[in-house]
Structure formats: structure tokens, C-alpha cells
């Protein structure tokens, strides 16, 4: 998020936060211990809750809800279905999935195939501030569970009472996503 300020993110900040969240979601949902009752697709997943460790299932669901409810509202409508950098893990993993938009880092814009810039929404300030605060508080909890569930009893309780080693990749992704 934008430094120490709590404010509406710029399009570049919103896209970067979404990119980091999408990478973290890939790390969680594509984790080798995350199991599915049937092969996932870009449109539908059915987790195998009996075979997936509770902590991994809970954190993946929590981060996904954070992404859907607090990060995506700062993006143009449909962006997560149209831009690979911020796509769901199953669309991202599908080599045949077709994307229509790309992030142009040089101009800090999201563009379609014809070069048309996709406008980012400007949320009402009160709503934007609440969403940013929620991203930060949910990020704090996610970091704590992933990084400290083996050493902090409170984090372990949040993870369902069992320790779980998320592995160095997910640990780095959570540090990158929630760097505060």
C-alpha cells in the first residue's frame, strides 16, 4: 500500500497490490499440499478439505476473500479475468487461457489489445480508506499465521490449532505482499 499513508491507492499502487496478492494466491492454492476433489479450472475449484491441511485451506480462503473484497474493487471491472498478472491461479496456470489486457509499467496503465487504456475506479474516500485499512489488518493477520504459527500460540490458534510449514516460497510471498 502507499507507504505509511492510509489513502486511496493510485492505479499503479492498486495494480501492484493486486499483482502481489495474485502471486500469494498462486503460492497458496498451487502449494503441493493443497488438494482438490476434482481438477481445478479457471472457472471452478472444489477443494478437498479432508486432505488439505486446515491452516493452508484457511489462509488461502482468507487471502482470497481479502483479494476479492478489498483489493479487486480498486481495479477496472473484469481485470482479474483479462490480465494474466492478476489472474486467479488456475487461469494463470492454463497455457490456453486468453488474456485481453496488459499492464504497461512505463505509463502505469492497463491497456487492452488495441492500446486503449482501462480506467481504474475512484472509490468514495470513506470506502477507499476502509478497504485499505482492511487490507492492512488482514495482511497483518495473514503474515502472523504464515510466519509465526510454529512459534506463537495465538498464530497457531488462528491456523486451526496445528502448526503448518508453508515453505520458503509462500513465506517470501507473504512478506512481499504485506511488507508493512
Amino acid at each position: 500500500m502507499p507507504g505509511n499513508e492510509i489513502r486511496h491507492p493510485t492505479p499503479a499502487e492498486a495494480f501492484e497490490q493486486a499483482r502481489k496478492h495474485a502471486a500469494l494466491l498462486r503460492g497458496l492454492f498451487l502449494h503441493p499440499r493443497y488438494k482438490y476433489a476434482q481438477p481445478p479450472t479457471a472457472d471452478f475449484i472444489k477443494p478437498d478439505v479432508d486432505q488439505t491441511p486446515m491452516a493452508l485451506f484457511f489462509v488461502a480462503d482468507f487471502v482470497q476473500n481479502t483479494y476479492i473484497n478489498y483489493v479487486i474493487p480498486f481495479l477496472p471491472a473484469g481485470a482479474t479475468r483479462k490480465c494474466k498478472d492478476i489472474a486467479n491461479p488456475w487461469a494463470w496456470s492454463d497455457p490456453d487461457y486468453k488474456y485481453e489486457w496488459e499492464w504497461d509499467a512505463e505509463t502505469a496503465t492497463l491497456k487492452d489489445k488495441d492500446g486503449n487504456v482501462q480506467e481504474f475506479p475512484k472509490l468514495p474516500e470513506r470506502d477507499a480508506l476502509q478497504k485499505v485499512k482492511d487490507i492492512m489488518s488482514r495482511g497483518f493477520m495473514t503474515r502472523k499465521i504464515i510466519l509465526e504459527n510454529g512459534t506463537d500460540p495465538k498464530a497457531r490458534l488462528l491456523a486451526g490449532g496445528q502448526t503448518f510449514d508453508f515453505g520458503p516460497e509462500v513465506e517470501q510471498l507473504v512478506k512481499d505482499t504485506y511488507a508493512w
Side-chain angles (χ1 to χ4, degrees):
M1 296 286 33
N4 289 329
E5 286 183 76
I6 297 176
R7 61 174 171 76
H8 196 297
T10 66
E13 291 165 341
F15 186 84
E16 182 63 10
Q17 188 63 38
R19 187 191 62 73
K20 289 177 179 180
H21 266 89
L24 177 57
L25 285 170
R26 286 192 300 273
L28 293 166
F29 281 110
L30 302 177
H31 190 285
R33 298 216 29 221
Y34 199 103
K35 304 299 178 190
Y36 296 91
Q38 65 188 52
T41 68
D43 297 317
F44 180 76
I45 67 159
K46 185 174 183 178
D48 184 335
V49 295
D50 295 327
Q51 298 298 314
T52 302
M54 184 186 296
L56 179 58
F57 177 79
F58 169 74
V59 171
D61 184 65
F62 190 75
V63 173
Q64 178 174 261
N65 282 316
T66 302
Y67 189 56
I68 291 168
N69 295 313
Y70 305 103
V71 176
I72 289 176
F74 291 110
L75 302 174
T80 62
R81 292 276 182 190
K82 296 178 181 178
C83 180
K84 183 171 184 168
D85 288 337
I86 55 177
N88 75 46
W90 311 280
W92 187 88
S93 297
D94 180 351
D96 297 323
Y97 193 88
K98 303 294 182 218
Y99 296 97
E100 303 170 28
W101 298 351
E102 273 192 31
W103 179 251
D104 182 343
E106 190 174 303
T107 61
T109 56
L110 195 55
K111 295 180 179 178
D112 67 18
K113 291 179 179 180
D114 298 323
N116 298 313
V117 173
Q118 304 303 308
E119 294 297 322
F120 280 68
K122 182 72 172 161
L123 302 180
E125 198 65 20
R126 181 182 171 133
D127 294 345
L129 294 178
Q130 188 58 54
K131 287 190 185 310
V132 170
K133 289 176 187 177
D134 287 339
I135 291 169
M136 294 175 78
S137 63
R138 292 172 72 89
F140 176 82
M141 188 151 75
T142 302
R143 263 184 81 103
K144 186 152 194 72
I145 295 169
I146 290 174
L147 299 176
E148 300 176 25
N149 77 80
T151 58
D152 183 337
K154 293 175 191 165
R156 188 169 30 262
L157 283 173
L158 292 171
Q162 301 293 318
T163 61
F164 181 75
D165 182 357
F166 287 87
E169 179 187 353
V170 171
E171 288 176 1
Q172 187 58 54
L173 288 167
V174 79
K175 289 175 186 175
D176 294 345
T177 304
Y178 307 117
W180 45 84

